[in-house]
Amino acid sequence: MTKDEILYYLKTHHEVDMYGIFELADRVRKRYCGDGVHLRGIIEFSNCCVRNCLYCGLRRGNGRARRYRMTVDEVYQVAECAVDAGVKTIVLQSGEDPYYSVSELCRMVERVKELDVAVTLSLGEKSYRDYRSLKEAGADRYLLKFETSDKRLYALLKPDSSYVNRFRCLEYLSELGYQVGSGNMVGLPNQSSESIADDILLFGMLELDMVGIGPFIPHPDTPLGGFNGGSSGLTVKVIALTRILTRNAHIPATTALATVDPEGRRKALCCGANVVMPNVTPFSYAADYEIYPDKLTEDTIDGAKKLVSSVGRYVAKGYGHSLKMGGNVNIPTH
Ligand code: SF4
C-alpha cells in the first residue's frame, strides 16, 4: 500500500470503503496466520520507572502512583498458574527499573523457562550486553514500542529518551536473534494522520515479528491528563491497515483497546488481530500498573478463551513463535 492509500483509509468515514478494508484485513489474517489465536499471559512485575514519559502513569514524576516490585519467586508462581490455565507464552513486563540487576532478570527468565513456555520481555531500553545476557538466559522475544515515528512528537512525549537509541535497541534485538515486536499509540495529542500513516509504513519496513497498536488514553496524573484520547474506530483501522501491509506479523487485540471500547478486542480480532494478551498479574498489583487509567484488571485467561470462541476462532496450541523467516530491523532515516 502507498502512503496516499493508507491516508485515504485513515481519513475516510465511507462505510463501503471501511467494510472493504476490514474484510480484506480479515482475509489476509486468515491466509497468513490462520484461525488460531495465541494467548500471551502478561506479568507486570514492577511498576517503578526511571523515565518520565508525558503520557504514562508509571512516570517517575507521578508521586501518586503506589509502587510495587515482585520477587522472582512470585513471578514464577504466577507464571505457573498461567501455564496451568493453558498459556504458552509468558510476557515479563516492567517499567525501566534498575532495581533488578541483569543477573536477577536472567534468573527470572531461567525460572519461567522451566515451565516450557516462550518468554517475551518488555523491559525498555538496555545495552547490547544486557540484551545478549537475557537472550542467553532463554528469552525468545522482546517488545519495544517506538510509540510514534514522528521524531518531533517523540521528543515531546519522551523528553528523557532518544529516538535514535530506541531504534538502535530494536536493531540490537534483531541482531541477537530475538523475535522483535514494536508498536505505536493512536490518537496522541498533535499526532497527524500523516504521522500514523508513517507508523504503519515503518511497521512494514522494520519487518517486525509482532506489532502492538493501542489507543492513547490520557492518565489524569500526567501532563497529558487533559487531552482527548484516541478512538476505538481509528485504532481498529490502524490494526486492519497494518495487517494488510505486514501480512504475517503477530498483532494483538490490546487491553488498551478494550479499555476504550468493551467490544474493542472483538472488533480487532475480526479486522486483523491474531493474539490476545490476558493480564495475569495478581489483582493486588495489577491495579497499580497504571500506564493509563481504568485498565481492565480482571482480565482472565478463561475470559480470553471465551472471547476467542465468540468470534468463531480457536486458541492456538503451540508457542506462537514468529511467522517470519527472519529479517533485520532497518533504522529509519527520516
Ligand atoms: S512509557 Fe515506559 S519508559 Fe516511559 S514512563 Fe512509562 S513505563 Fe517508563
Side-chain angles (χ1 to χ4, degrees):
M1 290 182 107
T2 65
K3 183 168 176 180
D4 284 345
E5 286 171 315
I6 292 172
L7 266 175
Y8 173 80
Y9 288 112
L10 286 176
K11 289 179 178 172
T12 187
H13 295 288
H14 199 289
E15 274 189 24
V16 176
D17 285 345
M18 289 323 306
Y19 177 79
I21 278 298
F22 291 155
E23 203 262 338
L24 176 59
D26 197 42
R27 271 193 288 132
V28 173
R29 185 272 311 153
K30 191 175 176 73
R31 173 163 177 199
Y32 289 93
C33 310
D35 280 339
V37 176
H38 302 283
L39 300 189
R40 326 282 205 202
I42 306 186
I43 304 175
E44 298 160 334
F45 65 88
S46 162
N47 70 349
C48 303
C49 189
V50 292
R51 300 217 190 240
N52 226 6
C53 305
L54 262 59
Y55 54 85
C56 178
L58 306 192
R59 66 198 304 269
R60 67 168 189 273
N62 180 10
R64 294 170 66 106
R66 273 184 311 183
R67 306 289 175 172
Y68 71 84
R69 292 184 172 108
M70 290 170 67
T71 64
V72 171
D73 284 344
E74 279 180 295
V75 168
Y76 178 81
Q77 282 160 16
V78 174
E80 195 174 29
C81 291
V83 172
D84 286 347
V87 158
K88 296 295 285 177
T89 292
I90 295 292
V91 182
L92 300 173
Q93 182 165 290
S94 71
E96 292 201 16
D97 184 1
Y99 172 86
Y100 296 88
S101 64
V102 175
S103 54
E104 177 124 27
L105 292 170
C106 287
R107 205 158 64 80
M108 193 183 288
V109 171
E110 283 160 4
R111 288 293 310 278
V112 174
K113 285 296 286 185
E114 287 169 15
L115 297 165
D116 185 26
V117 281
V119 168
T120 303
L121 299 177
S122 176
L123 314 174
E125 293 175 30
K126 296 198 168 287
S127 66
Y128 184 89
R129 221 169 132 174
D130 289 354
Y131 286 143
R132 187 175 58 200
S133 301
L134 291 161
K135 185 80 181 65
E136 286 167 0
D140 302 279
R141 312 178 190 136
Y142 205 103
L143 300 174
L144 188 70
K145 291 172 81 173
F146 58 71
E147 310 295 5
T148 172
S149 58
D150 179 335
K151 269 187 185 165
R152 191 191 45 83
L153 187 55
Y154 187 96
L156 284 171
L157 295 173
K158 296 171 86 70
D160 53 3
S161 303
S162 150
Y163 181 90
V164 170
N165 194 55
R166 197 78 172 173
F167 286 94
R168 191 179 297 133
C169 285
L170 286 169
E171 193 183 36
Y172 288 163
L173 292 164
S174 182
E175 265 176 46
L176 286 163
Y178 282 93
Q179 297 165 48
V180 181
S182 192
N184 73 341
M185 274 189 285
V186 175
L188 287 161
N190 299 320
Q191 186 185 39
S192 62
S193 300
E194 281 76 8
S195 156
I196 297 176
D198 285 336
D199 293 353
I200 296 171
L201 289 169
L202 191 49
F203 294 148
M205 187 183 133
L206 293 173
E207 297 179 19
L208 296 166
D209 300 293
M210 306 166 281
V211 183
I213 297 157
F216 161 64
I217 305 175
H219 189 299
D221 299 326
T222 67
L224 301 187
F227 285 84
N228 291 326
S231 69
S232 158
L234 184 57
T235 306
V236 172
K237 271 191 205 178
V238 176
I239 289 173
L241 293 165
T242 301
R243 167 59 66 210
I244 293 165
L245 194 89
T246 64
R247 299 188 177 182
N248 62 358
H250 287 306
I251 300 180
T254 56
T255 311
L257 189 52
T259 302
V260 298
D261 176 358
E263 288 297 304
R265 284 199 288 200
R266 196 185 315 276
K267 291 176 189 168
L269 285 171
C270 296
C271 299
N274 70 321
V275 171
V276 177
M277 302 174 78
N279 190 337
V280 298
T281 310
F283 292 161
S284 54
Y285 294 131
D288 292 326
Y289 199 93
E290 217 186 47
I291 291 179
Y292 51 83
D294 303 323
K295 195 179 73 172
L296 286 184
T297 48
E298 305 211 355
D299 194 21
T300 62
I301 295 169
D302 274 352
K305 288 177 179 170
K306 282 183 192 140
L307 170 69
V308 170
S309 53
S310 76
V311 293
R313 309 254 285 280
Y314 63 89
V315 173
K317 294 248 182 303
Y319 298 106
H321 284 311
S322 173
L323 296 167
K324 297 190 184 297
M325 298 302 288
N328 294 313
V329 168
N330 307 305
I331 296 183
T333 51
H334 63 280

